[in-house]
Amino acid sequence: MAEAIDPLDEIHAGLAELDAAGLRRRRRVVTTPCSPDTRLADREQPVTAFCSNDYLGLAAEPALAEAVHRGTERWGVGSGASHLVSGHYAAHEALEARLAAFTGMEDALYFCTGYMANIGVMPALVGRGDAIFADRVNHASLVDGALLSRAELIRYPHCDLAALAARLAASDAPRKLIVTDSVFSMDGDIAPLAELLALAEAHQAWLLVDDAHGFGVLGPQGRGALAHFGLTSPRLILMGTLGKAVGVSGAFVAGQHDVIEWLISKSRSYIFTTGSPPLLADALLTAVDLIEQGDARRAHLAALIARLKNGLRLARWQLLPSDTPIQPVVIGDNHETLAVSRALDAEGLWVPAIRPPTVPKGAARLRITLSAAHSFEQVDRLVETLNRLEATQA
Ligand SMILES: *Cc1c(COP(=O)(O)O)cnc(C)c1O
């Protein structure tokens, strides 16, 4: 018989191992609203943050705060129950209709979070004996959704269409689901969605697109990655999040009317949870208006991205090729990446060090994210500091 392990001893030892490997996760306490001008509890001086996914600067937008205030007066706070019992309000219904129209889909379903949307949708579409084809660097929530579904998880090398085509052709699974991030969250590049859709159609597969980092940023009026490529198809299922560029919280899934009906009856993370506060759905209607009218914000964001890319002169470190607000600088070693992140912090610049398992081993990186709320001066200071640190850091 194997000797019993003291589970608490194991956790003490496990934490020490994480420390030794530079992999212990720590949270920093923010004391100001989400904005590039940030104050932290552990730091006297303010920092300029390049961390959030608030790409359009809506998270602290006064018009949204006012919408929340109005929503609270109308709805109070809690929803009181799950959507299928008594927690589905007119505000939720209106938001879903607005999101469907905005994305050009037949119907939409509002989830509490993107994580819950992904783990709820995949098991509703495929199960044991079926196959899920997933880009190797997809978001963790898509991996977890695949595991919950019990379908076989077949991963293909990042954006490798030939490899995907070969795996699809070799599979005799009765139901197939291809799943991809639209904008890869730790790399910033955009998936070849038109080609992925062509493969899905050729193999009678679903294509689930996780547009967490595209919705609000890509496409005309920020309608997202599918609009960016002009794609429509009954095979397409779109997941978009509402806590990133949209600045609030939550997520939606959009697709054919009957697909959404199916999810309402089958998606466990939709069914077995309390509906999110209706005041948020109300505020989200205002947020979608701001997204739609947000061309000036998107133009400023694009100019900031160009400024950063044109300014960085890196030799040892690698700025990944990306045209999105996610601009990762790969350093490689966990400890060196942490050291650079700390050196930036000492200069009043907050850029998170992203380490395995979030990214592959040996590919630790600074994940710079830009927001329409940044100024050119702030980006210039980041560029100048990174150029200098790379030249001087041993
Ligand atoms: C953030 C994110 C999610 C999860 O969305 P939440 O609303 O934060 O739970 C899902 N997929 C991707 C690609 C993400 O970046």
Side-chain angles (χ1 to χ4, degrees):
M1 244 172 56
E3 213 175 312
I5 294 170
D6 181 327
L8 190 54
D9 281 351
E10 193 174 38
I11 282 181
H12 292 322
L15 285 173
E17 269 171 40
L18 288 176
D19 283 334
L23 290 177
R24 171 93 157 238
R25 306 304 172 109
R26 293 180 193 282
R27 303 167 302 166
R28 299 186 77 185
V29 178
V30 178
T31 58
T32 47
C34 176
S35 149
D37 307 302
T38 301
R39 283 187 173 270
L40 293 155
D42 62 11
R43 204 177 188 291
E44 194 88 12
Q45 300 297 322
V47 288
T48 306
F50 294 91
C51 327
S52 85
N53 304 308
D54 178 28
Y55 301 123
L56 298 182
L58 291 179
E61 163 64 38
L64 276 185
E66 276 162 36
V68 168
H69 193 70
R70 282 196 307 275
T72 311
E73 283 174 357
R74 169 93 166 81
W75 299 106
V77 184
S79 73
S82 67
H83 284 276
L84 299 199
V85 178
S86 63
H88 189 63
Y89 291 82
H92 296 126
E93 193 73 7
L95 175 65
E96 291 177 345
R98 177 76 167 106
L99 288 167
F102 188 63
T103 55
M105 299 296 224
E106 276 185 16
D107 223 335
L109 188 64
Y110 172 49
F111 281 77
C112 292
T113 72
Y115 185 93
M116 291 172 73
N118 283 340
I119 65 165
V121 170
M122 297 171 74
L125 295 174
V126 291
R128 216 184 282 283
D130 298 331
I132 293 171
F133 301 83
D135 192 291
R136 186 162 283 287
V137 308
N138 274 351
H139 191 259
S141 57
L142 296 171
V143 178
D144 294 357
L147 294 177
L148 268 179
S149 79
R150 298 183 174 85
E152 186 187 2
L153 175 57
I154 300 171
R155 306 224 269 174
Y156 56 89
H158 183 47
C159 290
D160 187 336
L161 294 163
L164 171 59
R167 285 161 172 71
L168 282 164
S171 167
D172 54 10
R175 287 179 213 84
K176 302 185 178 82
L177 168 67
I178 303 170
V179 59
T180 186
D181 286 17
S182 61
V183 175
F184 290 91
S185 55
M186 296 300 142
D187 297 70
D189 56 334
I190 302 177
L193 293 179
E195 292 78 1
L196 290 171
L197 180 58
L199 282 173
E201 286 180 335
H203 292 273
Q204 291 202 59
W206 294 111
L207 176 60
L208 172 61
V209 175
D210 177 337
D211 204 19
H213 300 279
F215 186 69
V217 176
L218 296 181
Q221 293 90 46
R223 288 171 204 272
L226 299 182
H228 173 78
F229 288 106
L231 302 177
T232 56
S233 162
R235 300 263 171 242
L236 274 170
I237 298 169
L238 174 67
M239 196 289 287
T241 60
L242 302 169
K244 290 174 178 163
V246 185
V248 186
S249 162
F252 67 94
V253 175
Q256 297 269 293
H257 174 72
D258 273 357
V259 173
I260 300 305
E261 284 295 310
W262 181 252
L263 294 178
I264 292 169
S265 289
K266 292 289 181 184
S267 182
R268 295 171 63 86
S269 65
Y270 183 77
I271 298 167
F272 297 106
T273 195
T274 299
S276 74
L279 74 95
L280 288 184
D282 223 338
L284 279 161
L285 282 165
T286 301
V288 178
D289 290 343
L290 294 175
I291 293 284
E292 188 168 36
Q293 300 152 13
D295 282 349
R297 292 175 194 264
R298 280 181 290 272
H300 180 57
L301 178 60
L304 293 170
I305 294 167
R307 187 93 152 203
L308 179 92
K309 290 173 61 168
N310 292 333
L312 282 179
R313 305 260 174 278
L314 300 177
R316 278 183 307 129
W317 305 340
Q318 190 199 357
L319 179 69
L320 294 183
S322 157
D323 296 320
T324 68
I326 303 170
Q327 293 286 325
V329 173
V330 174
I331 292 176
D333 178 71
N334 294 341
H335 294 286
E336 187 181 2
T337 308
L338 274 179
V340 177
S341 180
R342 289 202 187 105
L344 286 166
D345 183 80
E347 309 227 12
L349 297 164
W350 187 9
V351 183
I354 308 286
R355 290 153 285 158
T358 310
V359 293
K361 277 205 186 94
R365 65 197 63 184
L366 301 173
R367 179 176 182 266
I368 300 166
T369 50
L370 297 176
S371 162
H374 284 118
S375 66
F376 287 118
E377 292 68 32
Q378 288 172 324
V379 171
D380 289 347
R381 212 161 70 71
L382 174 64
V383 164
E384 175 263 307
T385 310
L386 275 173
N387 285 340
R388 176 164 44 77
L389 283 178
E390 200 224 24
T392 54
Q393 192 107 0

